[in-house]
Structures are given as structure tokens and as C-alpha cells.
């Protein structure tokens, strides 16, 4: 009988580094909301979230490799990036959006200006 290939497993370790990486992953949707405008397209926000997930994964894997004297491998980093992105999207749609946290973060720092082609009403005119 042929052997069944093993499936990749998300490399979460319940140590300080793993918990910090998970906490950062959960906070990433809020960070995206803080640095983008409400008029920013959903695709641009998703791309930014994916990029931040990649940075989180690379830094976590690099720190783990440095602390354990292991070699740095890109395949687990790519897999971890996709898992972190999925967790961040699930947290956004499952928790932050229904509770209004996403909307509050979106309107907290970067605000949209007046719409293009429209002028603010001038009371002097």
C-alpha cells in the first residue's frame, strides 16, 4: 500500500514568539484600518493586509531560526503568511466588523477629504 503524504501543519508554537506572532496577526486588520482611507478599495486593503502578514511571518521565522540555530526556509514562511492572512481576514469579518471596531479604526486617523469635483460650501458666497 502506498504511503499517504503528510500534510503541512501550521507552525504555531505556544511560546512567547508564537503568541506574539498570533497577537500581531489579530491586530493587523486594525492597523490596516488605521493607515487607509474609507475610500480605499477593498483590494488595496487586502493587498496591504497580505503584505503585513508576510512581514509578520518573515520576522517570526527569522527570529525562530536565529534563536534555535535552524535554517531559514521560505516554504514554511509562505505557508505561514497564507495562514496569518486567513486568520486576519476571519478576525476582521468575524469580530472587528460586526462590533464596529473596523469602522472606528477606519475613521480614527486617516480621513477622506471632500469628494473629487465637489467644493465645500462657502457661507460667504
Amino acid at each position: 500500500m502506498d504511503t499517504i503524504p503528510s500534510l503541512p501543519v501550521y507552525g504555531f508554537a505556544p511560546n512567547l514568539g508564537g503568541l506574539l506572532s498570533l497577537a500581531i496577526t489579530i491586530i493587523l486588520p486594525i492597523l490596516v484600518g488605521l493607515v487607509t482611507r474609507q475610500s480605499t478599495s477593498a483590494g488595496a486593503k487586502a493587498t496591504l493586509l497580505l503584505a503585513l502578514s508576510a512581514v509578520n511571518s518573515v520576522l517570526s521565522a527569522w527570529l525562530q531560526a536565529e534563536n534555535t540555530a535552524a535554517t531559514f526556509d521560505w516554504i514554511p514562511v509562505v505557508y505561514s503568511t497564507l495562514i496569518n492572512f486567513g486568520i486576519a481576514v476571519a478576525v476582521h469579518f468575524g469580530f472587528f466588523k460586526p462590533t464596529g471596531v473596523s469602522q472606528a479604526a477606519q475613521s480614527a486617523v486617516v480621513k477622506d477629504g471632500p469628494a473629487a469635483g465637489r467644493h465645500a460650501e462657502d457661507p460667504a458666497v
Side-chain angles (χ1 to χ4, degrees):
M1 179 174 199
D2 293 329
T3 59
I4 299 172
S6 61
L7 296 174
V9 177
Y10 177 59
F12 175 74
N15 56 24
L16 182 61
L19 293 174
L20 182 62
S21 177
L22 182 61
I24 291 170
T25 298
I26 291 171
I27 293 172
L28 286 179
I30 295 173
L31 181 62
V32 169
L34 289 173
V35 299
T36 58
R37 299 178 187 269
Q38 288 181 343
S39 61
T40 304
S41 72
K45 291 177 186 177
T47 303
L48 179 59
L49 183 60
L50 181 60
L52 291 173
S53 295
V55 169
N56 182 23
S57 296
V58 168
L59 290 176
S60 296
W62 176 70
L63 285 173
Q64 182 180 8
E66 286 293 318
N67 291 334
T68 61
T71 58
F72 181 87
D73 292 323
W74 282 102
I75 299 298
V77 170
V78 170
Y79 183 69
S80 179
T81 297
L82 296 175
I83 295 296
N84 285 341
F85 178 70
I87 291 170
V89 169
V91 168
H92 169 70
F93 284 110
F95 181 71
F96 291 143
K97 193 170 183 179
T99 59
V101 173
S102 292
Q103 184 66 27
Q106 195 78 64
S107 60
V109 178
V110 181
K111 300 196 184 317
D112 282 328
R118 296 185 183 183
H119 300 284
E121 291 186 27
D122 187 4
V125 176

